Amino acid sequence: MITWMQRHKKYLIITIWISTIAFVGAGFVGWGQYSYGDKAGAVAKVGSVEITMGELQKSYSNLYNQYSQMFQGEFDEEKAKSFGLQSQALQYLIQQALILNLAKSYDLQINDTELLNEIKTKEFFFKDGVFDSETYKEILLRNNLSVKEYENDIKKELLIKKTLSLFPVEVKESELNILNTATGISDKIEYKILNADQIKIDTSDSLIKPFWEKMQNDFMTEVSYDIKFIKQPKISKEYDDATLSQYYNENKLHFKDKDGKILSLDAAKDKIKEELNAKETKKEALRTYIAYKKGELKDVTIESSTISASNNPFNKDAFDTISNLTSSSPFSKPVMVGEDYITFELINVNPSKTKSYEDAKSEVMSLYVDQQKREKLLEMAKKSFSTFKGKTTDFITGNDYSKFTELSTEEAVEFLNTLFGAKEKRGFVPIKSGKIVMYNILEQKLLNNTLSEKNNPIAKLKATMFNEGLIKNLQNKYKTEIFIEGL
């Protein structure tokens, strides 16, 4: 999923850019040196519409929370960077600004009645099932939003929707009928699942060794590194209140609760001490690193080890650092491993080489068995698909994957996608997992589907294509200037 989203991230923006205030109450996420409250100065200008740093921070926060929900909380700053979330946040605002310029050209506006009606639909402002003004003010205050700021954002959202409503995307009845027909075809089938687990494979050396000889260069040892290293254990010091208070005031954004709210000084004290101790530990580690490099170490234990990608007692950052060391530059700066800082010295690189048959045997055997099972299972399917007897289904469509309980959801979806694209009445479908499903279509009929224009995928596709075209057209009409580097 991550790979797909990275490849298609520019289209993801288009699908979510209309909603600007979707995540009130979700907490704000910032990055780098900018604070959420810093709204001074424009970071970009599109036509006559300026984009402020505060808007960019808010856009970033909203996108971050949306991705976090998509990944069920398994989303962090590292993933955000790999997705180019800062750039996405700015592009999101640029797209909004393009539409707002178009709205200005049509002299479109949002009046107070439209604004109030929209706010009253937000359930997070409800109390006892109805909109409550005190709850409204309290939630905005809790999320560091002023009433004016929030209502301006709502007006922008409504203005964008109003502008887009001038260009309705319609679906023809013939298009609805075509899709209803395509999705309404149902089959009653007889099927049987062939599983590779049913097949036994001879794994004697006389069969496996010739297999290995043809591809022995595919089985190589790992590159390994002989190293020496020194550790700088975590330093724990006591700090007076003035030091803690000064550090807190300079780094408030480091200390947030699970909802993204900034902690008070008292609530953050333990975290402040942790950060100060980490800084002291790093300083001492750097001093020791310099002494190690100069050969001036005193009373420090130097340890030795040989590590590889699969035999790494440290962490990925440490291994990456070691693998980039050379004989001419063998010392690494301190790398954090757990709570310690470790400095490495490269002694020797052990290059990759072809494994012996005995060392490679377990890997070769697994590959050989998998290949043989797939070949024998395919042979079995070819011999029996025209005469097999199996289970009979009711009439099913391409969405009835849950009816195939012997298959996982992914396997059933893969089978049905192939089945409803097949031209043969009888056949078999090899599945990526290794199973093969033989089928015999007994009957077909057309269901009475009634897709509406709203839930028709054709309407969504047309809307997406129109939005892309509209944005490209407006980009040519309104000049975009970006005043912040790297975005």
Side-chain angles (χ1 to χ4, degrees):
M1 180 181 181
I2 292 176
T3 302
W4 183 89
M5 292 176 77
Q6 285 174 323
R7 288 178 181 171
H8 299 81
K9 57 191 175 187
K10 73 173 184 177
Y11 301 108
L12 284 172
I13 297 174
I14 291 171
T15 65
I16 58 180
W17 59 288
I18 294 176
S19 177
T20 59
I21 324 291
F23 286 87
V24 167
F28 296 105
V29 180
W31 76 87
Q33 63 185 353
Y34 310 110
S35 68
Y36 174 71
D38 180 13
K39 300 176 177 61
V43 296
K45 186 176 180 181
V46 182
S48 62
V49 177
E50 289 191 342
I51 298 170
T52 67
M53 177 58 72
E55 289 172 323
L56 180 57
Q57 282 285 73
K58 191 188 304 178
S59 173
Y60 179 88
S61 178
N62 283 344
L63 276 174
Y64 188 99
N65 286 318
Q66 290 186 53
Y67 277 111
S68 187
Q69 284 198 357
M70 289 181 197
F71 289 102
Q72 300 178 333
E74 297 295 322
F75 190 77
D76 54 24
E77 289 295 341
E78 187 176 341
K79 285 193 179 73
K81 286 180 182 178
S82 72
F83 273 53
L85 211 63
Q86 294 177 21
S87 179
Q88 283 194 52
L90 182 58
Q91 289 305 313
Y92 169 94
L93 293 173
I94 288 172
Q95 289 176 0
Q96 283 189 332
L98 289 168
I99 300 296
L100 293 173
N101 275 285
L102 185 61
K104 281 186 178 183
S105 72
Y106 291 150
D107 199 25
L108 297 178
Q109 296 179 2
I110 300 299
N111 60 42
D112 291 342
T113 300
E114 291 172 304
L115 174 63
L116 183 60
N117 288 340
E118 177 66 17
I119 292 173
K120 284 184 175 181
T121 66
K122 310 294 185 183
E123 293 187 5
F124 36 76
F125 299 138
F126 283 15
K127 184 177 182 181
D128 299 326
V130 295
F131 175 81
D132 179 71
S133 59
E134 291 304 315
T135 301
Y136 172 58
K137 294 174 184 176
E138 180 185 339
I139 287 179
L140 293 185
L141 181 63
R142 196 186 308 155
N143 284 276
N144 197 28
L145 284 167
S146 68
V147 171
K148 181 179 179 181
E149 182 184 357
Y150 179 73
E151 291 183 354
N152 282 340
D153 286 340
I154 290 291
K155 280 185 176 181
K156 283 183 184 178
E157 180 182 357
L158 291 175
L159 191 54
I160 288 169
K161 289 181 178 178
K162 180 179 280 190
T163 306
L164 292 176
S165 71
L166 300 176
F167 311 100
V169 177
E170 298 179 354
V171 177
K172 296 178 181 178
E173 186 177 350
S174 60
E175 292 173 329
L176 281 171
N177 291 337
I178 290 170
L179 194 61
N180 281 331
T181 300
T183 58
I185 295 174
S186 65
D187 289 347
K188 183 177 184 179
I189 68 168
E190 182 179 13
Y191 73 96
K192 184 176 181 179
I193 298 170
L194 301 180
N195 196 319
D197 293 341
Q198 305 163 349
I199 298 174
K200 301 299 181 184
I201 302 297
D202 183 355
T203 57
S204 61
D205 285 345
S206 61
L207 294 173
I208 295 179
K209 193 167 184 178
F211 179 76
W212 166 76
E213 288 172 346
K214 293 177 183 177
M215 54 194 324
Q216 55 184 295
N217 289 334
D218 292 338
F219 301 95
M220 306 290 287
T221 62
E222 292 181 304
V223 176
S224 64
Y225 304 89
D226 298 330
I227 58 169
K228 290 183 179 179
F229 60 95
I230 56 174
K231 289 183 181 179
Q232 173 58 58
K234 179 183 176 183
I235 291 174
S236 294
K237 293 177 62 176
E238 291 299 321
Y239 303 94
D240 58 34
D241 289 341
T243 301
L244 296 175
S245 179
Q246 180 181 351
Y247 190 82
Y248 172 77
N249 289 330
E250 293 173 353
N251 301 277
K252 279 186 181 181
L253 291 177
H254 294 190
F255 311 111
K256 296 180 181 180
D257 63 17
K258 63 181 181 180
D259 296 320
K261 309 296 188 302
I262 295 175
L263 296 170
S264 66
L265 173 59
D266 285 340
K269 275 187 176 180
D270 287 341
K271 292 186 176 182
I272 296 170
K273 290 176 183 177
E274 284 180 17
E275 286 200 10
L276 287 170
N277 282 332
K279 285 180 175 290
E280 289 299 318
T281 305
K282 187 174 183 179
K283 283 181 185 177
E284 185 60 31
L286 285 168
R287 283 193 286 266
T288 308
Y289 153 72
I290 292 170
Y292 184 27
K293 202 173 176 183
K294 292 180 177 180
E296 298 173 357
L297 277 183
K298 294 180 180 178
D299 303 322
V300 176
T301 302
I302 301 177
E303 301 180 57
S304 299
S305 182
T306 298
I307 74 166
S308 64
S310 63
N311 179 31
N312 175 18
F314 306 109
N315 59 24
K316 185 179 183 299
D317 286 343
F319 183 79
D320 290 344
T321 298
I322 293 165
S323 63
N324 286 318
L325 297 176
T326 64
S327 57
S328 59
S329 181
F331 294 95
S332 76
K333 287 185 178 180
V335 178
M336 195 169 191
V337 179
E339 294 185 333
D340 301 332
Y341 276 93
I342 302 180
T343 297
F344 297 99
E345 178 187 4
L346 177 67
I347 304 302
N348 187 49
V349 178
N350 305 305
S352 176
K353 61 182 182 180
T354 303
K355 290 181 179 180
S356 67
Y357 171 65
E358 290 303 324
D359 289 339
K361 185 175 178 178
S362 61
E363 296 174 74
V364 176
M365 184 181 296
S366 175
L367 191 62
Y368 175 79
V369 168
D370 183 64
Q371 184 187 91
Q372 289 295 304
K373 282 188 174 184
R374 286 180 181 271
E375 288 178 1
K376 291 184 181 299
L377 204 65
L378 186 60
E379 186 180 339
M380 185 186 300
K382 288 178 178 177
K383 289 180 178 179
S384 58
F385 80 91
S386 59
T387 57
F388 81 92
K389 296 295 180 183
K391 294 183 179 180
T392 301
T393 67
D394 296 327
F395 282 97
I396 58 171
T397 68
N399 295 321
D400 287 327
Y401 48 83
S402 60
K403 294 185 178 180
F404 295 87
T405 55
E406 312 95 319
L407 301 173
S408 68
T409 299
E410 291 77 11
E411 290 171 338
V413 168
E414 187 180 348
F415 166 61
L416 288 174
N417 284 344
T418 306
L419 174 69
F420 282 93
K423 297 178 181 179
E424 300 81 9
K425 181 179 180 299
R426 276 183 177 269
F428 58 89
V429 179
I431 295 175
K432 290 176 184 176
S433 64
K435 297 175 183 176
I436 293 180
V437 184
M438 299 187 294
Y439 68 86
N440 178 21
I441 301 173
L442 303 175
E443 295 182 61
Q444 286 186 325
K445 72 176 182 180
L446 191 62
L447 301 177
N448 293 321
N449 278 355
T450 54
L451 281 173
S452 67
E453 187 171 326
K454 287 185 179 180
N455 63 15
N456 189 332
I458 291 178
K460 294 177 181 178
L461 178 61
K462 279 188 168 184
T464 299
M465 293 174 67
F466 174 80
N467 286 344
E468 288 182 41
L470 178 62
I471 292 299
K472 287 179 181 178
N473 183 275
L474 295 177
Q475 284 171 338
N476 293 327
K477 185 174 182 180
Y478 300 107
K479 181 180 178 181
T480 297
E481 299 174 272
I482 298 174
F483 309 131
I484 184 171
E485 293 184 5
L487 292 180

